[in-house]
Amino acid sequence: MNLRTIGCVELNSVALGMQAADAMVKAAEVEIVMARPTCPGRYLIIVTGDTGAVKSSVEAGRAISKDMLVDWFTIPSVHRDVIPALSGTAQTSEINALGIIETCTAASCILAADAAAKSGQVWLLEIRIAAGLAGKAFVVMTGDVSSVQASVEAGVAGVAEAGPVLSHVVIPSPSESLKAQLV
């Protein structure tokens, strides 16, 4: 699966979410990366394909969503770490400084993660979306302190109006106990 361009639609309705996912794949030649319910009763759809197809697909999903639309995006050149971090398959051999960005929506967290990963020498460890988080999401990244700091700042800025960002921190030297919880 070519994951160069991804698009996302996040809704406040599971039923409309399923309908939107169906409409999105029928509207353009895209593949579903993820389509599932999230907390609190939201539905998240992520698709991939060529840029034009993804844009058309996202527009079709937004049209179905109407007033249940929570958030959405299209990222033409998604960073290679985003999908592994989202699917829980990211790997790193070393955890140095940690950066964490917490957002109100899953879509804005993915935007933050992509912007953070593109801005510096960091590795995304995890993007956790809405599971047991009351609709919130967070991204965790690692690298040297200055890279993590710059990437967190870029990630916060990358959310723009999609946010808001609830909080963000950099932990310069995380304890071994905390590191053990991350891997």
Side-chain angles (χ1 to χ4, degrees):
M1 184 180 337
N2 178 9
L3 295 174
R4 293 298 299 154
T5 298
I6 64 170
C8 175
V9 176
E10 185 174 359
L11 298 90
N12 254 337
S13 167
V14 173
L16 279 179
M18 289 184 186
Q19 184 181 20
D22 183 61
M24 289 170 72
V25 296
K26 289 177 178 174
E29 193 169 322
V30 295
E31 292 181 52
I32 294 177
V33 174
M34 179 182 294
R36 66 178 176 90
T38 63
C39 293
R42 292 183 181 168
Y43 200 84
L44 183 69
I45 308 149
I46 301 174
V47 297
T48 188
D50 70 44
T51 302
V54 170
K55 286 181 179 180
S56 295
S57 176
V58 167
E59 285 306 313
R62 289 178 62 202
I64 295 288
S65 303
K66 299 179 182 149
D67 62 340
M68 291 297 196
L69 183 65
V70 173
D71 207 348
W72 64 278
F73 67 73
T74 300
I75 302 174
S77 293
V78 70
H79 190 276
R80 69 183 177 280
D81 286 358
V82 170
I83 298 302
L86 193 57
S87 64
T89 59
Q91 296 179 355
T92 186
S93 59
E94 188 176 339
I95 296 177
N96 296 317
L98 287 176
I100 304 100
I101 302 171
E102 182 180 9
T103 65
C104 282
T105 68
S108 63
C109 187
I110 297 167
L111 285 171
D114 183 64
K118 287 176 178 173
S119 74
Q121 291 294 319
V122 296
W123 292 266
L124 301 181
L125 297 175
E126 178 180 18
I127 301 171
R128 175 87 50 93
I129 52 171
L133 297 170
K136 297 188 297 183
F138 65 88
V139 58
V140 180
M141 65 199 79
T142 190
D144 65 66
V145 175
S146 61
S147 293
V148 169
Q149 182 66 47
S151 291
V152 166
E153 289 172 12
V156 169
V159 172
E161 294 87 40
V165 171
L166 295 172
S167 65
H168 57 285
V169 298
V170 174
I171 304 171
S173 185
S175 68
E176 293 302 317
S177 295
L178 180 58
K179 288 180 188 179
Q181 295 300 311
L182 299 171
V183 292

